[in-house]
Every structure is written in structure tokens, then in C-alpha cells.
Amino acid sequence: MHDKTLTELAAALAAGEFSSRELTQSLLGRIDALDGELNSFITVTAEKALADAERADQARAKGQAGPLTGLPLALKDIFCTDGVKTSCGSRMLDNFVSPYDATVVEKLKQAGTVCLGKTNMDEFAMGSSNETSFYGPVKNPWDLAAVPGGSSGGSAAAVAAGLVPAALGTDTGGSIRQPAAFCGITGLKPTYGRVSRYGIVAYASSLDQAGPMARTAEDCAWLLGAIAGHDLRDSTSVARGVPDYQEELGASLSGLKIGLPKEYFGDGLDPAVEAAVREAVRVYESLGATVREVSLPHTHHAIPAYYVIAPAEASSNLSRYDGVRFGHRCDAPKDLIDLYERSRAEGFGEEVKRRILIGTHTLSEGFFEAYYKKAQQVRRLIRQDFLDAFEDVDVLMGPASPTPAFDLGAKKDPVSMYLQDIYTIAINLAGIPGISVPAGFAGSRPIGLQILGPLFAEPQLLNVAHQYQQATDWHRRQPAFGKENA
Amino acid sequence: MMQWETVIGLEVHVQLSTRSKIFSGASTAFGAEPNSQACAVDLGLPGVLPVLNEAAVAMAVKFGLGINAEIPEVSVFDRKNYFYPDLPKGYQTSQMYHPIVGPGEVEIALEDGSTKRIRVHHAHLEEDAGKSLHEDFHGMTGIDLNRAGTPLLEIVSEPDMRSAKEAVAYLKAIHSIVTYLGISDGNMAEGSMRCDANVSVRPKGQQEFGTRTEIKNVNSFRFVERAIVFEAERQIELIEDGGKVVQETRLYDPDRDETRSMRTKEQANDYRYFPCPDLLPVVLDQAYVDHLRSSLPELPAEKRARFQDELGLSAYDAGVLSSSRAMAEYFEAVKEVCGDAKQAANWVQGELSGALNRENLTIDQSPVTSTQLGELIVRVMDDTISGKAAKEVFAALWNGEDDSADAIIDARGLKQVTDTGAIEAMIDQVIADSPVQVAQYRDAEPEKRGKMIGYFVGQVMKASRGTANPQQVNALLRQKLDNL
């Protein structure tokens, strides 16, 4: 059962081949057997999952099953879940049990899905390798010496290893697409505002967006349909109807205009990654698409702009972790300042502290204009680059990451880690949707093709990815890890 | 000796009387059990997001319209970042760069009856913090977040005031505008209105401002006046002794009646303002603003002018009676019933205000309704009762003796006797009982008789237990005595 897509599992449940309880039990068994090595889960909610599966089976017996009823999922530990620890990968929230559900969690519950647990992640979603987690790094099931990517590394590894058919991640600068690429799965970052942020622990509010991570674009379409939509509790969610994401999936790609941003094929791009991406583009040409080179001239400003805006917002968003009301509190504080200083010094890891310091600095008097204001101006230019490009082409394609997964512990210098996100970060600054799909391997390590579309073009984007997956089988490959536990 | 001038600007924080908080659905009611009115959003739990309360926006815009301010099409919420235990998110959501209300002005009434315009720089929306409770926790601090997220309108004046009295008049004008508009209960004791005063002094005639200090969180009209007076004197003394005023934040201590330093400019926080990414800019279209404009009640300055021009009241009376919406509404209701503005004004400011002050009540708490008072005045005007009896009736109404003036007049037999025969009988009796006085009267020069008649009037009124019409008694007495 563990190697099936959500779509296949839904069909099997509907046909009565097995029950949700059997499926859930089987996957919990795999987690039990394999995750000690992988470390992709922070919390496994086995009892709740079995009870939910039971309920789903009963609903099905009464003829009340929807398309997602009884399907097992996992949630990045950034989504608030009522009564379940929500750590955000941090010691700061190691003791935090959320008293409420995030909007997307509510929606998935209503759809009848079964949550197996909360997946590992970079602390407060700050990282590109999952190595900043308080709960230790996650390993890449394709190569246990490699990182799974980050920050949604636990979700990506769990799906790739067949511990769960799909999971939710969040993407602030590539945190869904890059780990999806590193782990050989499909991951979609929706348009900013498409999915409610209510109940998602905030990192950088103007960039954060939740999205599905699964084996196929079709599975992502199912999940996006379940979680998308306007939410009165999130003022930045967009009041716009949710289309049927399945409906577009059959459309032909004949006449599709693909743009290849020349800035995405420059220095620092691993030759194996470039070769795989160019091969994927040839597959699209064979499906009737036309290809042209385009330019996104402000691309090289994206990382500097991001590392001003995201830490600025983070420095403010993370101020609430002060040891006063919830989260980590130091022992025996001698006064208020001591309480703040030690609780935060002990509760936050290095990378989080680094970004809080950067953000605090760039917002301070005398620097605000030079950094924050300037970065916002750059952000507008980057957004304009994409709007201009989409005047001429339907989608943009390029690598999701300049290299395949790197070794655990390989990137000690924070800036070299930040450069990992060179192809993903601009997309968050522009607010547009992007998807990463498996498109080959460099040795044992997967390579991801990134496809970008205009604002709210998820139906077209998912279909473009889906058509590729109809023509190729990269997404069906399974790692050797865990095969014997079938 | 050098003549000094005090320069004052006020920042007034007004709690808006929305039912729920500015960014959450929790109740704003005062006085609940600590932390019983703080939801996940108010607690700043991980993952929560603010949603702007439209009622707070409407109230802020009404205030802006009420002071003839510019209402910008777009306003933006910013985060003001600082750590404090009763500030749950580590930032206060406020409006730094694009406030909801632009420049406007407030007219204040000065003691000499003239008026002065005080410019308002802007007014912005923000959320209140919680409260730190330092008592009852044995060396620890309790945090009550019920108030966290209560909507505040911060009204920032230009430094246009030149005395503590003007500052108080301005504060009173703001108080009456917000209560007229129904956007705040204006209850200073419960903290619904608080103010920070920026105070500096300069030699009279000098153009540049002196170095200012900011006195934080003064919460009564009286304290504002005393704090400013103290602070101005302190600054003048300091400068005259060769010292310099330091720009700093000071606290007013009402028990010692002094201000003392809280923190200097060097110790001031860098609040690292930036636009709140969780809230969209507020865009107000003209139709929305026009709709609010059409719903505005008549405001104190307009009312004051109308009371003078149309009702013929003095500037003083018009000022007092328009000072609060409750007062004005009461007065106008009394006037409606009795039909005479001057009588209504006299009674509301005289007998009623006296009684309210004596028992420390506000006009909404008056036991005598406007209808009851109006009907009472009617009975004075149509000569049913004398002025003296009217006071007795008022006291009886105040004590709840009966529902209406007429019922009390009947029950107490206070109806003025206008029956000439009855009055004449009483006069005859008084004349018969006062032979000495009658003899004196008869012997007196006619021009001295006027004074002497008072004695007889008094006796007759006494005999009638105040129910005889004094004018009538007077006239009849003269007739009788002069013809004896």
C-alpha cells in the first residue's frame, strides 16, 4: 500500500480493497520501523490516527465518504493542531500543545483525512537542509548521507520513503519545492493568499504559504482543492472561488508557450541538474509546447532582498516567544530582562538567532530606509519581471535547486546555504505559484524541475506538471530505503 | 523678571466603545475576571492572525469627520516592536506612517467666553496592551490580558495650547466630541480616556520651542492641569537656575503632585516600525465616508452656536448645556416639554445640577426625568405653583415621592391660591392680627411704604403655606392697606 498515490489509495478505499484502518495501521508500522533512522516525524499521533481512520471507515459504510475520506496524511510541525504538540522544530515550542486547529487542518479534518503525525522541519522554517531542527536532522531516503532539503524536509522525506502518501508543507523561500526536488516528490507552492495562513506558525508573513507535497501533480491537485479558499480569519487570504483542480488535468499542452529564464541557467548550476531540466523541456516540446528564452533581469537581487524582508518580519513575528505566556521559560529568572534573555537564548537555535539579529538590525532607526524600504522596492521590480515574462509565455521552467541534495553537514557557511534558494526565493517575493516535479537523478539523488505560472494559475500549472508525469516515470521511482518493509 | 510661556501638545488615547476588540472577536467589556476576555488572538498564540474590526474603523472616521479632518483614502497598520510582559505579541499594532485621520481642528471654549482653535495633527488606530498587576502576587507580577486588543484612537494635537487651562479645555472638548459621537464612553476613571502631555516653556515672544518633556498616562482632567502646572514651573525654575531641560519621559505622581523622570531620550526604545504584513491597507471609498458623514449627530460646537443664536442663551449657558451629549439632550427634552429655553436652562443648571453635584451623580443618573422637570416648569409658568413651591416639588420628585409634578402638587396641596376671596380673607386676618404694623404703615411716607409691605406679604404667604400667588397678595395688600 505504501507505494501508491493518493488517487490510487482513494480508489482502493472506495472499492473496499482495504479499509482506512488497515491502511493507517500499515503506514504506522512503517513509521515505527523506519523513522528511527529517517527522523522525519517529530510527533506520531498513532491513537488519534486510528480513531480517525475508524470514523472514516464508518462514514464510508454509511455512504458518506468524500474523495479524501480515510486518506492518511502528515502535517509539517508548523501547523497548529488542537491538543497535539506543535513545536515548529524548536526547543522554544517543545512544550507547546496548541489549543486550536489551523484553518487548513480544520479543512482536512472536515474532508475526512487521517493525520498520522507532525513532520520534522528546520527550526521556525528557517533553513534549506532540515539541519536547524531542534529534533535533529532528517535523512534523505534516497541517500542517507544526504539532506532532504528544507525547511519542509520531514514532509518530503516521509512521502519519499513511503511512510505517508502525502503531506502538507509551507514555503517561504522554497521550503516546499526544494525538499520536494531533493526527495524526488511533487511539491506545490500556491499563489500567496490562495491558502489560509491562520494557525500556521509565522516565519515571514508576507511570504509564507502552505501547499501540498505528494507523489504526483494529480495528488497535489486533490489536496490543494481541499485546503484552498478564502478565510475570514486571514485578511491576506484572497476572496476568490476555488476552481476544480482536477478539471484542467486532461488538457493538451499543444501550443503551450514555455519560457526558460536565462538567469536560471548560469554559473553555479550543477551540469547534471541542467541536463535533466533541458531533457524535461524536450519532453514538453514533444508534447506540443514551444520554448523560448526569457529574461528575469532582477533575479540576482532576489536573495539579498529576501534576506532583508524575511528576517525583518521574522524578528517581529518571533517576539512573542518571551517566556511569559507559553513556550520555553528559563529556570529561576532573577528579573524580567533575565527572563527574556535566557528564555530566548536557550529556546532559539543559531540560525533563528542569526535571522532575528539581521531583522532587528535592518528595521532599526537609520537602517530602515536603506534596507527594508529598498528591499521592498526590489521586490516590486522582481514581481514586475514575472508579470512581464507572463505577457509572452504561459509558464516558466528551470531547476528547483542549483544542485541535487548535498551531504549532511556539508554547508557550514550560512551564505552558501542561502544561495541554495536562488531559483525559488524570487517566486515567493513575487507571490506567484510554483511546482517542483521529479525529472531525473544525479547518481542516487533526485533532481527537480520547477514550473512557474502567473498568479492563481494553479489549474494550468498542475496540468503542465501532470502531463509531464503522464509522459515520464521519474515520479514513480522509489528509493531502496524501506523497500524490504513493504 | 522674565515672562514665560508654556507650550503644550496632547496625545489623547480614547478607548473606542466597540463590542469586540480591534483585531479579534473577544469582548471589550470592563471589569471582567482577569484573562476571561482574551482569546487566542489576544494571547498572541503561535499562528494567530488579526482581522480588523470594521466598527473601529467607522468610529475613527466619524471622529475625523467630527473635527473636520482630512480622511485619507488609504491608511496602513504598522508594528511597533518592543518587549513588555503585558504586550503579548512583542509588538503593538498601530499606525505610524499612514494614519486613518489626517489634520483637523477642535474648537475650545476659554474662560472669558471666547473660543480658540487647536489643530489636530492626526489620529490613528491602535490596540491597547494588557495590564501588569503588581499587588497581591508576592514579589511577582500578574498579567491581565482582558484589555489587550481593545481599540484605541490616539489623537495627536499640534503644540497649540498655551496654558494648563487650555489643555484641560481641549481635553474636555475631545471628551465631549467622542461622547457626542457615541464612539467612547469617555470614562476616565476606567481608563477609557488617557493622555500624554508634551510640555515646554519659552520666554514670551520667542519663536522657537523650548526642549519638551512628555508626561505619560495622566487620567483625569484635574491631574492633567496639575501635572502641566507643576512641570512648567519645574522647567522655568530649572532654566532660571542656569540649568537645561532634558528631553525625557516623565511620570506624574498625583499623591505627591509632582512629575519625575522615567527615561531619557538616550534610553528611549527603537520601535522598529514597519508595515504589518498580516493586515491589508485600509481603503475607504468616498461613498463609505459620505454615509458616515450623513449619520453624524450635531456636535458640541454646532450645538453651542445654535443654543446662542436660536434659543437666545448666553455664551456661558450655551457652553455648559452643550458640554456633554447627555446634558444637551436632557436640556433639549426639558425645553421641548416646557416650551421655554431660558426656564429650561435655569432649572437644568440650577436646581438639577446642584442636586446632581451634591449626590455626585451624572445627568444620566438623574432621578428626575427631563419630562418630569419640563412639566414642573410648566406649572411654574402657568402660575399653578409659586417658585418656592416648585423647589419643594422638585425635591419630592428627586426623592421619588410620586411620578409627576402634578401628583405631588395635589398631594401636598401646593396649588397656588389665585382665588381673590380666599386671599382677601387671609389678608384681612393678617391685618387684624398686626395692629402695630398697620399703624406704622399708615403713618409712613408713601415712598417708604413699599419696603414695609414686605412684612405683610410674608405673613400672608406664611398663612397660605406658600400657596398664595405673591404678586396677587402684593397687589391686594396695597389696595387694602392704602384704603384703610
Side-chain angles (χ1 to χ4, degrees):
Chain A
M1 300 175 208
H2 73 273
D3 53 357
K4 289 189 159 40
T5 66
L6 268 189
T7 313
E8 290 162 354
L9 289 170
L13 288 173
E17 286 172 36
F18 43 78
S19 68
S20 174
R21 191 189 162 84
E22 287 166 325
L23 174 60
T24 301
Q25 207 131 36
S26 153
L27 293 174
L28 287 171
R30 276 182 74 79
I31 293 171
D32 206 30
L34 298 169
D35 206 46
E37 174 112 49
L38 213 55
N39 197 28
S40 67
F41 279 85
I42 291 173
T43 305
V44 178
T45 50
E47 267 180 47
K48 269 182 193 279
L50 289 169
D52 288 349
E54 200 87 56
R55 248 193 306 281
D57 287 333
Q58 284 162 8
R60 189 174 300 284
K62 287 189 220 151
Q64 293 164 351
L68 298 180
T69 298
L71 291 174
L73 300 172
L75 299 168
K76 185 179 184 179
D77 207 16
I78 199 168
F79 294 94
C80 283
T81 40
D82 191 1
V84 176
K85 177 163 106 170
T86 301
S87 75
C88 218
S90 180
R91 182 183 181 193
M92 184 58 89
L93 291 178
D94 185 47
N95 65 3
F96 179 67
V97 175
S98 173
Y100 75 102
D101 276 330
T103 296
V104 293
V105 174
E106 249 176 39
K107 287 185 168 221
L108 288 174
K109 278 187 180 170
Q110 276 158 16
T113 63
V114 174
C115 177
L116 299 188
K118 309 289 293 289
T119 55
N120 205 340
M121 56 182 288
D122 279 300
E123 185 180 6
F124 282 103
M126 299 179 192
S128 309
S129 68
N130 221 301
E131 292 169 298
T132 72
S133 171
F134 172 63
Y135 300 92
V138 177
K139 288 177 184 161
N140 189 322
W142 289 95
D143 183 341
L144 296 178
V147 301
S151 64
S152 309
S155 288
V159 172
L163 306 185
V164 66
L168 288 195
T170 59
D171 190 318
T172 306
S175 283
I176 286 175
R177 292 159 289 154
Q178 185 251 24
F182 280 14
C183 291
I185 65 164
T186 307
L188 171 73
K189 184 207 87 85
T191 305
Y192 183 80
R194 179 71 289 184
V195 178
S196 167
R197 293 186 297 113
Y198 187 79
I200 299 173
V201 181
Y203 158 26
S205 313
S206 72
L207 301 161
D208 296 342
Q209 187 65 192
M213 304 174 79
R215 292 192 207 296
T216 66
E218 188 179 16
D219 287 1
C220 287
W222 279 116
L223 277 179
L224 181 62
I227 62 172
H230 183 225
D231 181 4
L232 292 173
R233 291 176 294 190
D234 175 4
S235 311
T236 64
S237 77
V238 177
R240 184 182 170 116
V242 178
D244 179 350
Y245 293 108
Q246 305 298 321
E247 209 173 298
E248 189 79 13
L249 291 184
S252 156
L253 297 189
S254 175
L256 178 79
K257 288 181 276 186
I258 297 172
L260 300 182
K262 63 177 185 203
E263 292 80 5
Y264 285 25
F265 294 88
D267 288 348
L269 177 59
D270 184 285
V273 174
E274 177 165 7
V277 169
R278 295 214 184 266
E279 178 53 35
V281 171
R282 272 190 286 282
V283 171
Y284 277 106
E285 285 179 301
S286 75
L287 294 174
T290 59
V291 178
R292 74 179 73 169
E293 188 182 85
V294 297
S295 177
L296 301 170
H298 298 93
T299 297
H300 61 292
H301 292 308
I303 287 184
Y306 176 90
Y307 278 98
V308 171
I309 293 167
E313 293 180 8
S315 71
S316 174
N317 284 334
L318 271 61
S319 293
R320 67 190 60 195
Y321 308 111
D322 56 6
V324 173
R325 295 162 309 284
F326 48 78
H328 178 72
R329 177 181 217 161
C330 67
D331 271 338
K334 60 176 200 291
D335 56 26
L336 181 63
I337 299 298
D338 187 44
L339 169 72
Y340 286 155
E341 286 182 355
R342 277 200 292 132
S343 298
R344 288 169 69 80
E346 294 163 5
F348 291 137
E350 285 307 303
E351 184 57 31
V352 171
K353 285 179 197 164
R354 181 176 295 119
R355 295 194 197 188
I356 289 175
L357 285 176
I358 294 171
T360 303
H361 179 69
T362 55
L363 287 179
S364 53
E365 212 177 317
F367 298 96
F368 179 76
E369 302 279 328
Y371 290 116
Y372 186 83
K373 276 240 159 123
K374 186 64 79 182
Q376 291 293 8
Q377 289 163 356
V378 170
R379 183 176 187 169
R380 279 193 286 280
L381 294 174
I382 288 170
R383 190 182 167 94
Q384 195 56 48
D385 278 0
F386 284 104
L387 294 180
D388 293 347
F390 289 127
E391 292 283 308
D392 299 326
V393 298
D394 300 315
V395 293
L396 296 168
M397 287 187 190
S401 165
T403 65
F406 44 89
D407 287 349
L408 282 157
K411 294 204 189 290
K412 301 262 189 280
D413 162 33
V415 174
S416 72
M417 188 72 90
Y418 298 166
L419 292 172
Q420 264 301 307
D421 297 329
I422 184 151
Y423 303 133
T424 47
I425 263 178
I427 284 75
N428 298 78
L429 292 170
I432 60 170
I435 191 167
S436 175
V437 293
F441 287 86
S444 62
R445 301 182 184 184
I447 291 168
L449 165 74
Q450 182 176 222
I451 313 167
L452 309 172
L455 296 168
F456 298 101
E458 285 87 353
Q460 293 73 35
L461 204 56
L462 285 162
N463 180 49
V464 170
H466 178 66
Q467 294 307 317
Y468 178 73
Q469 293 181 333
Q470 297 302 100
T472 59
D473 71 347
W474 300 116
H475 61 290
R476 304 254 36 162
R477 306 282 177 97
Q478 303 272 322
F481 176 82
K483 268 220 162 119
E484 67 276 14
N485 296 75
Chain B
M1 209 176 116
M2 173 103 63
Q3 286 273 322
W4 294 92
E5 181 175 60
T6 309
V7 176
I8 303 150
L10 293 185
E11 293 166 22
V12 183
H13 296 80
V14 174
Q15 258 184 21
L16 299 177
S17 53
T18 54
R19 277 199 298 272
S20 58
K21 293 184 177 176
I22 184 167
F23 299 123
S24 84
S27 165
T28 54
F30 179 81
E33 278 291 295
N35 298 308
S36 64
Q37 290 180 171
C39 67
V41 173
D42 307 320
L43 294 174
L45 288 186
V48 297
L49 295 171
V51 176
L52 180 59
N53 182 344
E54 196 270 336
V57 172
M59 288 180 179
V61 172
K62 278 187 182 176
F63 175 79
L65 296 171
I67 61 162
N68 289 315
E70 249 169 71
I71 307 294
E73 193 188 346
V74 178
S75 66
V76 178
F77 284 97
D78 299 293
R79 291 185 184 175
K80 177 181 182 179
N81 295 283
Y82 64 99
F83 286 97
Y84 205 72
D86 58 25
L87 187 72
K89 298 186 296 295
Y91 57 81
Q92 178 192 31
T93 308
S94 179
Q95 296 186 310
M96 176 65 179
Y97 301 106
H98 302 283
I100 190 154
V101 174
E105 57 183 26
V106 172
E107 191 181 86
I108 62 171
L110 302 178
E111 277 181 335
D112 64 4
S114 66
T115 60
K116 175 174 176 178
R117 283 169 197 276
I118 306 295
R119 291 168 303 154
V120 168
H121 181 270
H122 77 269
H124 64 259
L125 280 170
E126 61 186 27
E127 57 183 337
D128 208 343
K131 274 184 189 157
S132 295
L133 310 166
H134 300 290
E135 285 150 31
D136 309 330
F137 290 95
H138 310 288
M140 294 195 286
T141 299
I143 305 290
D144 177 7
L145 295 177
N146 281 354
R147 200 181 66 183
T150 299
L152 295 178
L153 186 66
E154 179 171 339
I155 303 154
V156 180
S157 84
E158 296 283 0
D160 284 356
M161 288 151 273
R162 295 291 173 267
S163 71
K165 289 233 181 317
E166 285 187 19
V168 172
Y170 168 79
L171 199 57
K172 285 188 170 162
I174 295 285
H175 185 269
S176 89
I177 291 169
V178 299
T179 49
Y180 261 76
L181 289 169
I183 63 173
S184 175
D185 62 20
N187 189 328
M188 295 186 91
E190 289 177 5
S192 300
M193 224 173 122
R194 314 191 286 272
C195 116
D196 302 338
N198 286 290
V199 180
S200 65
V201 297
R202 63 181 173 191
K204 242 196 166 102
Q206 179 181 304
Q207 277 300 305
E208 316 87 273
F209 293 127
T211 304
R212 68 167 196 271
T213 60
E214 184 182 15
I215 312 166
K216 277 277 178 204
N217 243 332
V218 199
N219 64 358
S220 84
F221 295 123
R222 198 157 50 98
F223 292 164
V224 167
E225 182 165 356
R226 279 163 52 179
I228 292 170
V229 166
F230 174 89
E231 180 58 18
E233 279 171 8
R234 187 190 70 86
Q235 291 184 13
I236 291 166
E237 234 169 79
L238 190 65
I239 298 168
E240 287 183 343
D241 288 350
K244 262 190 174 170
V245 176
V246 185
Q247 190 178 336
E248 63 183 354
T249 303
R250 298 180 70 86
L251 196 69
Y252 176 68
D253 180 345
D255 295 333
R256 297 179 172 198
D257 191 21
E258 63 177 28
T259 67
R260 51 173 189 270
S261 183
M262 270 173 80
R263 56 175 180 264
T264 62
K265 195 186 173 196
E266 283 69 35
Q267 297 164 291
N269 277 315
D270 177 354
Y271 291 119
R272 308 188 311 280
Y273 285 98
F274 75 108
C276 179
D278 289 330
L279 290 162
L280 303 176
V282 180
V283 180
L284 301 173
D285 61 41
Q286 199 52 50
Y288 177 80
V289 176
D290 289 343
H291 164 74
L292 289 175
R293 195 190 308 273
S294 69
S295 74
L296 289 187
E298 188 183 34
L299 288 169
E302 296 158 4
K303 250 196 213 304
R304 189 166 58 228
R306 182 167 61 81
F307 285 178
Q308 277 183 262
D309 300 346
E310 285 178 24
L311 304 183
L313 300 186
S314 71
Y316 177 81
D317 288 357
V320 172
L321 292 171
S322 62
S323 65
S324 82
R325 186 173 176 171
M327 175 75 93
E329 278 174 357
Y330 191 103
F331 159 70
E332 293 205 81
V334 173
K335 190 213 77 183
E336 213 48 54
V337 175
C338 77
D340 187 309
K342 286 201 173 129
Q343 286 286 347
N346 288 342
W347 274 90
V348 171
Q349 290 180 94
E351 210 59 21
L352 178 71
S353 293
L356 291 171
N357 287 342
R358 223 169 17 251
E359 303 206 9
N360 215 357
L361 297 176
T362 64
I363 198 152
D364 330 84
Q365 299 167 313
S366 169
V368 178
T369 66
S370 51
T371 310
Q372 288 172 331
L373 181 55
E375 287 170 353
L376 169 58
I377 296 169
V378 169
R379 289 295 168 252
V380 179
M381 288 167 59
D382 69 9
D383 283 338
T384 304
I385 53 174
S386 65
K388 187 162 173 264
K391 289 187 180 176
E392 190 181 330
V393 174
F394 179 86
L397 282 170
W398 183 272
N399 294 327
E401 228 163 81
D402 216 322
D403 286 346
S404 70
D406 284 349
I408 291 167
I409 292 166
D410 280 350
R412 296 201 165 197
L414 294 174
K415 207 167 221 167
Q416 199 153 241
V417 180
T418 48
D419 170 0
T420 314
I423 294 176
E424 275 182 82
M426 283 187 277
I427 288 173
D428 291 344
Q429 187 61 49
V430 167
I431 289 173
D433 291 347
S434 318
V436 181
Q437 286 81 2
V438 171
Q440 284 172 347
Y441 182 91
R442 210 167 30 204
D443 297 342
E445 301 288 320
E447 54 270 26
K448 288 194 178 156
R449 286 180 173 176
K451 263 190 182 167
M452 300 176 75
I453 204 161
Y455 165 79
F456 297 99
V457 173
Q459 291 301 306
V460 175
M461 291 308 290
K462 198 171 163 189
S464 75
R465 288 181 46 255
T467 60
N469 180 322
Q471 284 86 35
Q472 222 175 346
V473 171
N474 206 306
L476 286 170
L477 262 171
R478 270 178 198 281
Q479 238 174 35
K480 291 233 174 206
L481 288 169
D482 291 348
N483 296 325
L484 277 176

